[in-house]
Amino acid sequence: MSKIATALTIAGSDSGGGAGIQADLKTFHQLGVYGMSAITAVTAQNTLGVAGVYPIPVEAVSQQIREVLRDIGADAAKTGMLFDAAIIQAVAEEIGSFGIQKLVVDPVMVAKGGAKLLLDEAIAALKQHLLPVAEVVTPNLPEAECLTGMQIRTPDEMREGARAIHALGVRNVLMKGGHLEGDVVVDMLFDGQAFYEISHERVQTRHTHGTGCTFSAALTAELAKGTALVTAVERANRFIFEAIKTAPQLGGGHGPTNHWAVIA
């Protein structure tokens, strides 16, 4: 048997199973990648909202990462909810220490129901410490506005925002366009030289909990398997489209997507 691709998620736990490490690990498995985790915080939540957030001690986060990487290693890694500046800095140090090149940063800041998942003072740490060691960052438009201080409401403003985020040191910026109006969702990938647009039909549904986690996990899985970045983004885009379209209709609020989605 050939060596299986491996991926590490560094993120919060979602007790409802639709986002965070639960979504990441299910997505890794579905896409044929062996998943590992380092938990940064435990949340008490369901489809209706987040009732509590309980961060893990910084040293425990670092130790989880070290123990996984020094034994199993990881072909790619991703970050999700990191909560505070101390955890962000510790994660960046571990990633740098082990020389992980394929790092996907999903800058999780606010839950679907509005709960804050990243402290304000942590945004500076994210920009200073984590983005410079990342292969790609995947902000939605509100997250991009937080990272840049800009208003982003149009495709031209998306491009301007991508350039500003790229200037922070990240190698590639994927601006997700789901917050713009229209029947087609257009994401923009910027590699510092050129823009690539990846689009899919908008699915009208309230069951979109964990879409950012699931998309970035799919991207991480593809990178772990050695897929080239543009193709990896295209495949992750197809996966999240199918996952939203076939959502299992769970819960009374923003339900999860379908992590058993299949793409060709």
Side-chain angles (χ1 to χ4, degrees):
M1 179 179 178
S2 60
K3 178 182 177 294
I4 189 171
T6 58
L8 169 65
T9 172
I10 306 167
S13 168
D14 171 6
S15 56
I21 60 162
Q22 286 84 350
D24 294 343
L25 292 174
K26 286 184 277 189
T27 301
F28 290 166
H29 183 82
Q30 180 66 4
L31 294 176
V33 172
Y34 180 81
M36 304 157 290
S37 65
I39 301 174
T40 60
V42 173
T43 69
Q45 64 175 292
N46 54 31
T47 68
L48 299 173
V50 179
V53 179
Y54 306 93
I56 301 296
V58 175
E59 179 52 35
V61 176
S62 295
Q63 189 171 17
Q64 290 176 82
I65 299 170
R66 285 197 300 269
E67 293 306 312
V68 168
L69 294 182
R70 74 174 186 164
D71 176 34
I72 302 171
D75 295 309
K78 65 153 290 189
T79 64
M81 173 188 173
L82 298 178
F83 189 70
D84 64 20
I87 290 176
I88 289 170
Q89 186 167 353
V91 168
E93 289 173 356
E94 297 298 338
I95 291 295
S97 175
F98 283 92
I100 300 297
Q101 295 298 309
K102 297 177 181 178
L103 175 67
V104 176
V105 173
D106 179 15
V108 177
M109 296 179 181
V110 178
K112 190 73 66 179
K116 182 171 289 189
L117 300 177
L118 184 70
L119 300 183
D120 291 338
E121 59 267 26
I123 296 174
L126 184 73
K127 294 192 287 187
Q128 180 179 353
H129 299 293
L130 198 59
L131 291 188
V133 299
E135 174 68 18
V136 58
V137 61
T138 62
N140 60 32
L141 298 191
E143 291 163 346
E145 289 180 338
C146 287
L147 290 172
T148 63
M150 299 166 47
Q151 174 180 286
I152 302 176
R153 299 287 188 274
T154 68
D156 284 343
E157 289 174 348
M158 285 178 67
R159 294 183 184 90
E160 186 179 353
R163 292 187 181 95
I165 295 172
H166 185 268
L168 297 173
V170 62
R171 292 188 286 278
N172 300 276
V173 181
L174 180 64
M175 300 283 280
K176 297 182 295 188
H179 284 77
L180 294 186
E181 298 293 329
D183 294 332
V184 176
V185 176
V186 180
D187 299 336
M188 293 184 185
L189 175 66
F190 180 58
D191 64 4
Q193 300 291 327
F195 283 93
Y196 304 86
E197 293 189 0
I198 303 97
S199 61
H200 64 74
E201 176 188 350
R202 186 183 301 277
V203 180
Q204 298 298 335
T205 178
R206 63 182 169 87
H207 295 288
T208 56
H209 178 58
T211 50
C213 302
T214 301
F215 172 82
S216 58
L219 176 56
T220 305
E222 290 299 328
L223 293 176
K225 292 187 289 187
T227 306
L229 180 59
V230 175
T231 303
V233 171
E234 292 172 343
R235 289 185 61 79
N237 191 287
R238 291 204 300 274
F239 184 83
I240 194 60
F241 171 71
E242 293 295 333
I244 296 171
K245 187 172 70 172
T246 60
Q249 311 292 311
L250 298 176
H254 297 288
T257 65
N258 174 23
H259 297 109
W260 291 280
V262 176
I263 58 174

